[in-house]
């Protein structure tokens, strides 16, 4: 499959920048993808194809954060209307709305889906008990500027946060105290935990940096050609992808730091990226108002990407591809079908 061109699936429907993305785990119905957008209308899609399923309507401002619980039965969003909302992801109904005193930038479910973590421009982290939504949330105080992203660790006994105050902080869930703080050279842009819970990935400036989730030690940092806003480590931990201000998606070898490949598909800065739970694709969101799905291994048959090997016996050096509508085309690159919502 050498020389095949990366052709992302372009998922339209949003009207303003896409600023956050999150996949569910693999469920009996496949896996799902939620997008947060400044148009105030977070969208749910089938994860492997990008097909639109529904839009969560109720926020009165830009939506900055969005996530799904593990089995994709619940969604959570954080917005500029100073609320975090929890939704029935199967019916689209709003279940809870939690008021804040400033913009909610990031949300995350615990592993069991029973609690919701939020980070806001109040410089406060909160954990809400979804089984007792009327109860006062636990609060974590210490950041001195806007919180950009928050995540539970694997055991949900700690939470991690990054902020415009140029720190990454770790907090104890039980006593709401800070247990560790990491100073960064510039404000971090993103925060992600690997599926096995062993590594936290963050970005700042031109760098993607990796931390051991157990002892908080820096494992390594790798420099990109341009400032990056977001990065995601593949489930295999062999490579990672990142994107930023130059509109490109980069893939780097995790061990050597060597750039493997880069692709330009967006028409604006890349704000968010994450790998699917099976690692077969990654999704990116951009200032251009689209989210795009990219193949991890270009040329494989997966989702809406169809690739058939060349007919060697007939001497045909081109590969034949069949798109989702059944129409057959010919070319040396895998062709993708644009997903309209």
């Amino acid at each position: 499959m050498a020389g095949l061109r990366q052709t992302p699936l372009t998922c339209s429907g949003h009207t303003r920048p896409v600023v956050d993305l999150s996949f569910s785990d693999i469920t009996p119905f496949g896996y799902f993808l939620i997008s947060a957008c400044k148009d105030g209308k977070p969208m749910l899609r089938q994860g492997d194809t990008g097909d639109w399923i529904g839009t969560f309507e109720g926020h009165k401002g830009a939506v900055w954060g969005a996530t799904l619980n593990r089995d994709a039965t619940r969604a959570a969003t954080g917005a500029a209307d100073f609320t975090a909302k929890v939704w029935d992801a199967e019916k689209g109904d709003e279940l809870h709305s939690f008021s804040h005193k400033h913009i909610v930038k990031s949300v995350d479910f615990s592993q069991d889906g029973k609690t919701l973590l939020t980070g806001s421009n109040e410089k406060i982290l909160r954990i809400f008990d979804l089984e007792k939504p009327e109860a006062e949330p636990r609060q974590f105080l210490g950041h001195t500027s806007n919180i950009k992203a928050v995540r539970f660790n694997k055991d949900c006994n700690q939470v991690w946060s990054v902020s415009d105050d140029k720190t990454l902080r770790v907090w104890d869930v039980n006593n709401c105290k800070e247990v560790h703080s990491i100073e960064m050279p510039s404000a971090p842009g993103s925060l992600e935990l690997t599926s096995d819970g062993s590594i936290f990935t963050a970005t700042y400036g031109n760098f993607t940096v990796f931390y051991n989730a157990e002892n908080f030690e820096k494992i390594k940092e790798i420099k990109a050609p341009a400032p990056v806003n977001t990065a995601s480590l593949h489930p295999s931990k062999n490579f990672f992808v990142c994107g930023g201000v130059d509109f490109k998606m980069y893939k780097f070898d995790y061990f050597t730091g060597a750039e493997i490949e880069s692709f330009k598909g967006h028409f604006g800065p890349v704000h968010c990226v994450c790998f699917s739970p099976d690692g077969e694709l990654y999704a990116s969101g951009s200032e251009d108002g689209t989210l795009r799905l990219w193949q991890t291994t270009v040329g494989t048959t997966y989702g809406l990407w169809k690739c058939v090997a060349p007919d060697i016996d007939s001497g045909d050096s081109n590969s034949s591809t069949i798109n989702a509508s059944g129409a057959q085309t010919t070319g040396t690159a895998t062709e993708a079908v644009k997903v309209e919502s």
Side-chain angles (χ1 to χ4, degrees), residues 49-71:
T49 65
D51 288 331
W52 177 81
I53 295 173
T55 300
F56 300 101
E57 297 187 357
H59 280 296
K60 294 179 174 62
V63 175
W64 287 94
T67 192
L68 294 167
N69 66 350
R70 298 180 66 184
D71 61 6

Side-chain angles (χ1 to χ4, degrees), residues 109-112 115 127 152-159 173:
F109 283 112
S110 57
Q111 285 288 311
D112 60 11
T115 58
I127 293 180
F152 280 103
N153 71 343
K154 186 71 172 180
D155 296 328
C156 296
N157 58 359
Q158 293 176 343
V159 294
V173 167

Side-chain angles (χ1 to χ4, degrees), residues 1 4-8 295 297-301 304-307 319 321 331-336:
M1 296 299 178
L4 291 186
R5 177 170 54 90
Q6 173 75 271
T7 307
Q295 282 190 293
T297 303
V298 179
T300 56
T301 294
L304 294 183
W305 290 281
K306 305 295 181 184
C307 186
S319 63
T321 65
T332 57
T334 302
E335 296 297 328

Side-chain angles (χ1 to χ4, degrees), residues 162-177:
V162 291
S163 166
D164 283 337
D165 63 13
K166 302 180 183 181
T167 66
L168 188 160
R169 304 189 190 215
V170 186
W171 313 80
D172 185 286
V173 167
N174 293 319
N175 61 23
C176 300
K177 300 295 184 182

Side-chain angles (χ1 to χ4, degrees), residues 151-155 157-160 168 170-171 179-180 182 191-201 210-219 237 254:
R151 296 290 183 268
F152 280 103
N153 71 343
K154 186 71 172 180
D155 296 328
N157 58 359
Q158 293 176 343
V159 294
W160 288 52
L168 188 160
V170 186
W171 313 80
V179 296
H180 193 72
I182 299 170
L191 182 66
E192 182 189 77
L193 176 67
T194 54
S195 56
D196 66 358
S198 63
I199 298 174
F200 271 100
T201 304
F210 304 91
Y211 295 97
N212 185 307
E214 293 295 326
N215 59 23
F216 320 134
E217 292 182 358
K218 181 192 292 186
I219 301 171
K237 303 192 195 74
Y254 174 73

Side-chain angles (χ1 to χ4, degrees), residues 22-87:
S22 179
F23 284 103
S24 71
D25 284 358
I26 297 173
T27 78
F29 306 99
Y31 61 88
F32 301 89
L33 172 65
I34 190 172
S35 55
C37 181
K38 290 184 181 180
D39 62 11
K41 296 180 179 180
M43 292 185 178
L44 182 68
R45 299 176 186 270
Q46 191 72 37
D48 60 341
T49 65
D51 288 331
W52 177 81
I53 295 173
T55 300
F56 300 101
E57 297 187 357
H59 280 296
K60 294 179 174 62
V63 175
W64 287 94
T67 192
L68 294 167
N69 66 350
R70 298 180 66 184
D71 61 6
T73 58
R74 296 288 184 269
T77 52
D81 61 7
F82 297 8
T83 68
K85 295 182 184 291
V86 177
W87 312 81

